[in-house]
Amino acid sequence: MTTTQARAAARVSYQLETLWDYDYEPTHAELETLYETAKKNQWNGSTAIDWGRAVGRDGPVLNVQVAFAGTEFFGRLTPEEQKEVEVRVSAWRLSQFLHGEQGALVVCGQLVNSIPELDAKLYASTQVVDEGRHVEVFERYVKKLHHIYPVDPLLKAVLDEILATNLWELKLLGMQMIVEGLAIAAFNLMRRQTGDATLGDLLDYVLQDEGRHVNFGYFALRRSIPEMEPARREYLEDFTFKVCDLMYARDERTGFQSIKDVWRELGWDGDAIWRDTVAHSPTTKAFNSFLFHDNLMPRLQRLGLISSRVEPRYREIGLLG
């Protein structure tokens, strides 16, 4: 790929309406509280984390025995191969976190322009700072560990659609509820599976920000959705189902499949390991349960975004009982 082609592949075109709010009247009491909390809880990625520690000094970056328990392939690996899996899979996971954080940085910059009420703009401005800090620390850690892997095609497609839309509600829903919900599930899972003190500290700091980010989307959408015109609401419902369907890893068609590139780097059958992991890994099932069943689906239901029109689709793929 030429430099020109690479630049074109990274470019997303969009038209974005910029809305001012000259009333200066509070509209969201919850967002006022979130804004105050965000101001109090700022941290400096350069000084809050001890970057002088060697990666993996205090324990494995990823406890691969836990992460791949139940799979058929993992028991056949030598200790040296297991160490390679630890480093490369961790770098791949953290690279996707990094790309997602950059997407969040750009989307939140858009939200400062496009969201209509001032208290929402003020909160969104704090999230721009948060996301810039998250990009900084994930980039620093991944480069210290191994190298940055390319963005997963599914993640890029979702981020591109969120960036390209001119609907601020879809930006809020896609980034604050779905992508940030995905991040919280993935960060929590990796936090439980790492023994590395530097990564543990990094994830603890990032997670304290992520909870606010999801609440921002929920509070703002809870106010706007009941007044939304039907066609716009159905558009949000369809987008949400499409993304959930693709992210809910359960077969050859779904999930973040660029992990196969890691297996192929090692000279192994990426497709076979993918099938093995999806079918047998308790970690994959725990991630799906935490993201969808415990967090995302209940919030979507409370927001009224799982109507009788789309509910059968969720039941068909197993996200509703």
Side-chain angles (χ1 to χ4, degrees):
M1 181 182 288
T2 66
T3 302
T4 302
Q5 289 172 327
R7 286 174 180 161
R11 187 181 301 122
V12 178
S13 300
Y14 63 89
Q15 291 183 326
L16 186 64
E17 184 177 45
T18 297
L19 299 175
W20 292 75
D21 182 355
Y22 291 118
D23 292 335
Y24 299 99
E25 292 294 330
T27 54
H28 292 64
E30 304 100 328
L31 293 188
E32 285 188 75
T33 302
L34 275 184
Y35 181 53
E36 290 300 319
T37 303
K39 289 190 291 182
K40 291 175 192 172
N41 289 354
Q42 294 299 306
W43 48 279
N44 185 335
S46 296
T47 57
I49 298 166
D50 180 359
W51 294 104
R53 291 175 294 206
V55 169
R57 185 192 72 183
D58 303 305
V61 176
L62 177 67
N63 187 331
V64 286
Q65 284 81 10
V66 172
F68 297 104
T71 60
E72 296 173 358
F73 83 94
F74 188 77
R76 299 193 292 265
L77 303 185
T78 66
E80 293 76 19
E81 289 172 330
Q82 291 182 14
K83 185 62 181 178
E84 278 296 305
V85 168
E86 176 198 332
V87 171
R88 294 180 190 234
V89 169
S90 298
W92 176 84
R93 282 191 186 181
L94 292 162
S95 295
Q96 305 317 312
F97 296 170
L98 170 60
H99 300 312
E101 297 293 348
Q102 186 185 170
L105 171 66
V106 181
V107 171
C108 287
Q110 293 180 331
L111 282 170
V112 174
N113 286 310
S114 61
I115 204 163
E117 292 161 327
L118 183 63
D119 41 13
K121 291 179 184 292
L122 291 176
Y123 180 78
S125 74
T126 71
Q127 189 171 338
V128 173
V129 177
D130 290 347
E131 304 298 359
R133 187 170 57 240
H134 296 177
V135 170
E136 171 200 343
V137 296
F138 278 119
E139 177 191 4
R140 192 166 179 174
Y141 188 88
V142 178
K143 287 180 175 177
K144 193 176 174 74
L145 171 66
H146 188 45
H147 67 74
I148 297 172
Y149 282 88
V151 61
D152 184 272
L154 171 55
L155 178 59
K156 184 178 187 300
V158 172
L159 292 174
D160 283 353
E161 187 166 355
I162 296 168
L163 284 164
T165 184
N166 61 359
L167 300 179
W168 62 266
E169 298 97 334
L170 184 57
K171 293 183 188 297
L172 266 180
L173 174 65
M175 180 53 66
Q176 306 302 120
M177 300 295 297
I178 299 176
V179 176
E180 293 283 3
L182 169 71
I184 287 178
F187 296 168
N188 271 290
L189 191 63
M190 194 152 196
R191 182 65 183 92
R192 292 198 295 268
Q193 292 179 348
T194 188
D196 181 58
T198 304
L199 181 56
D201 289 347
L202 185 160
L203 291 170
D204 285 341
Y205 276 110
V206 170
L207 278 165
Q208 83 176 14
D209 296 339
E210 298 292 359
R212 293 195 308 271
H213 300 171
V214 171
N215 282 334
F216 169 42
Y218 178 72
F219 292 146
L221 287 167
R222 186 175 65 182
R223 181 183 175 91
S224 65
I225 285 175
E227 301 172 358
M228 196 176 290
E229 61 186 45
R232 200 175 184 120
R233 187 166 174 165
E234 288 186 3
Y235 184 73
L236 296 189
E237 290 177 355
D238 291 338
F239 168 83
T240 303
F241 174 76
K242 176 182 72 175
V243 174
C244 287
D245 180 29
L246 291 171
M247 290 198 317
Y248 180 39
R250 60 195 188 279
D251 54 30
E252 292 285 350
R253 183 184 65 86
T254 57
F256 297 97
Q257 299 193 28
S258 64
I259 185 66
K260 294 176 183 178
D261 295 336
V262 175
W263 307 129
R264 291 174 184 135
E265 279 180 357
L266 292 164
W268 304 338
D269 185 337
D271 293 314
I273 295 177
W274 171 265
R275 290 191 296 270
D276 184 10
T277 304
V278 169
H280 302 119
S281 169
T283 293
T284 300
K285 293 177 173 58
F287 173 78
N288 282 335
S289 178
F290 185 80
L291 170 60
F292 291 103
H293 299 292
D294 299 344
N295 288 284
L296 186 56
M297 302 308 294
R299 284 180 181 266
L300 293 174
Q301 288 174 315
R302 289 197 295 272
L303 286 171
L305 285 173
I306 303 181
S307 66
S308 57
R309 185 180 70 89
V310 296
E311 184 178 350
R313 301 183 208 169
Y314 285 100
R315 294 192 186 282
E316 184 178 349
I317 65 173
L319 285 180
L320 286 176

